[in-house]
Amino acid sequence: QKEVEQNSGPLSVPEGAIASLNCTYSDRGSQSFFWYRQYSGKSPELIMFIYSNGDKEDGRFTAQLNKASQYVSLLIRDSQPSDSATYLCASPISGTYKYIFGTGTRLKVLA
Amino acid sequence: GAGVSQSPSNKVTEKGKDVELRCDPISGHTALYWYRQSLGQGLEFLIYFQGNSAPDKSGLPSDRFSAERTGGSVSTLTIQRTQQEDSAVYLCASRLAGTDTQYFGPGTRLTVL
């Protein structure tokens, strides 16, 4: 059973701080990883994806991937109250387009 | 259309009734997914369609669940003899072939009384 695991939170950070969201996965063959943001009562929207080991930056967001440790993270710099949401990590089972989602981490940015 | 659309947005039904949920993907997207999200939970994969290939039904929780996709576009998820545990938000997503990004619809909130 391929799994993607996340701490459910909530993770509370003060406005302006760096929020660090973490995800581990069991499928060693996984090649791509996705971070979705889901506001309460809304559908998920893609924030970032990462394929290669290392860091990938997009504005205030940085995705980090460590395939050896089977670990992917999302850093949000200068956190804003509008970043308060649940963040879902996802990855397709290797060799397929069947995506496994984590249960999500709820982030609260305190004004 | 501009995005993935789903209907109805809300559905309340009685235990034992059948329901049909509809998904209209982004035009040109050949891949279509159905997921289920129970309260406070992550997304549970149900079924995946890719073009004319046989669908991956490995996530359907029981034989009461079925889905079809007509003409490679609109998809319908049918739940027969609904049970209270079927209550959830059912999300549809579509993806352009050759890419990894899924675009989600707004979901259908199903409540089984």
Side-chain angles (χ1 to χ4, degrees), chain A residues 34 38 43 51 97-99, chain B residues 33 37 58 95 100 102 105:
Chain A
F34 300 81
Q38 186 174 27
S43 55
Y51 299 143
Y97 277 106
K98 179 178 172 179
Y99 291 74
Chain B
Y33 298 78
Q37 188 171 35
S58 60
R95 177 178 58 78
D100 280 320
Q102 296 179 71

Side-chain angles (χ1 to χ4, degrees), chain B residues 26-42:
Chain B
I26 293 172
S27 178
H29 283 198
T30 57
L32 187 148
Y33 298 78
W34 282 99
Y35 295 92
R36 177 168 71 175
Q37 188 171 35
S38 301
L39 189 62
Q41 300 298 309

Side-chain angles (χ1 to χ4, degrees), chain A residues 5-45:
Chain A
E5 296 188 350
Q6 297 179 256
N7 187 316
S8 61
L11 172 67
S12 295
V13 299
E15 184 175 357
I18 296 175
S20 178
L21 305 161
N22 305 314
C23 172
T24 59
Y25 59 94
S26 64
D27 184 355
R28 282 200 166 274
S30 291
Q31 297 296 316
S32 54
F33 302 87
F34 300 81
W35 283 100
Y36 286 83
R37 178 176 63 199
Q38 186 174 27
Y39 291 113
S40 181
K42 302 295 185 182
S43 55
E45 56 177 327

Side-chain angles (χ1 to χ4, degrees), chain A residues 6-7 18 33 47 55 79-80 84 87 95 97 106-107 110:
Chain A
Q6 297 179 256
N7 187 316
I18 296 175
F33 302 87
I47 297 295
D55 295 359
S79 295
Q80 301 297 309
S84 298
Y87 289 79
Y97 277 106
R106 190 156 62 99
L107 173 66
L110 307 172

Side-chain angles (χ1 to χ4, degrees), chain A residues 62-87:
Chain A
T62 298
Q64 298 177 318
L65 175 59
N66 183 324
K67 290 187 178 181
S69 299
Q70 295 177 243
Y71 179 95
V72 57
S73 64
L74 179 70
L75 302 179
I76 306 174
R77 288 182 299 282
D78 188 24
S79 295
Q80 301 297 309
S82 58
D83 295 325
S84 298
T86 296
Y87 289 79

